[in-house]
Amino acid sequence: MAATLRHFSRLRSKNSELLLLDGGTGEELFRRGVPDDRQIWSATAVVNANYHVILKDVHKSFINAGSQAITTNSYGVVPGVGFSVGSIAKYVATAGRLAREAVTESAIHGGQSALVLGSLPPLLESYRPDKVMNHSEGVQVYSVFVKALTPFVDCFLAETISSVEEASQAVEAVGLANESQIPILVSFTLNSAGLIRSGESAVDGVPRIIEFAKEKNVQCT
């Protein structure tokens, strides 16, 4: 976690600081021959062990290209496409393990160090603030993600989030299920007017979720 906190401190030091993330893992998997399943999308590379090597190679390619962080390929492992809670726990842990192995193997062969970000995706559907679980159910499912990813990640990433409510579910789950106190990044998706897709102002929403995280004893950026 020390490396993550160093990055957080650097990013907060001035607006010009950057954290270079990875690219589109799903599209790169498809380009390398993983079947393009329109239901579970890139989760095919986690569910089917035949594609685990390809997934790790994609992670390592991003590291070799200069990414300072890679993201677990758990975005598609959600109840919205039919995964049960048990399956989520199993396959999200697999995604975390494969990402960590990729970082370790890259370092062994002289590659740069990279953070592993644990993906906490929209649980029902992306870009749809009207399709968000109720608060308690969402927190329960995100807690499954957090517990499965904790052994492998440096930081959690709530990504493609469409509302402050959706973000608060992920943040609360990190506070409840994260004994290691791993921090979380929250990434909102905006509409063409520059608002969070729920219609909330990002200028107002960001400090709200940071304050909520403080209340839950969670480090959030």
Side-chain angles (χ1 to χ4, degrees), residues 116-173:
V116 176
L117 307 183
S119 175
L120 304 179
L123 299 177
L124 296 181
E125 191 169 336
S126 299
Y127 313 117
R128 293 293 300 270
D130 58 320
K131 291 191 174 182
V132 174
M133 285 186 165
N134 70 51
H135 191 83
S136 61
E137 290 178 343
V139 171
Q140 287 177 357
V141 177
Y142 278 127
S143 294
V144 175
F145 274 79
V146 171
K147 290 176 182 176
L149 289 169
T150 291
F152 308 105
V153 305
D154 300 293
C155 182
F156 296 103
L157 173 62
E159 56 177 328
T160 323
I161 298 298
S162 295
S163 68
V164 172
E165 167 58 29
E166 191 170 40
S168 72
Q169 294 177 15
V171 168
E172 185 168 338

Side-chain angles (χ1 to χ4, degrees), residues 36-114:
D36 186 353
D37 186 318
R38 289 291 90 184
Q39 181 176 4
I40 66 171
W41 191 50
S42 61
T44 300
V46 176
V47 172
N48 190 329
N50 291 329
Y51 302 117
H52 286 182
V53 171
I54 295 176
L55 174 55
K56 288 203 293 184
D57 285 345
V58 169
H59 285 318
K60 285 185 275 190
S61 293
F62 284 126
I63 296 170
N64 292 339
S67 295
Q68 296 169 296
I70 61 169
T71 307
T72 61
N73 187 44
S74 45
Y75 190 94
V77 186
V78 292
V81 297
F83 283 96
S84 66
V85 169
S87 294
I88 291 171
K90 174 182 177 180
Y91 293 124
V92 168
T94 299
R97 174 178 59 79
L98 293 171
R100 177 54 63 191
E101 287 177 0
V103 169
T104 301
E105 291 170 13
S106 179
I108 289 173
H109 292 92
Q112 71 170 15
S113 178

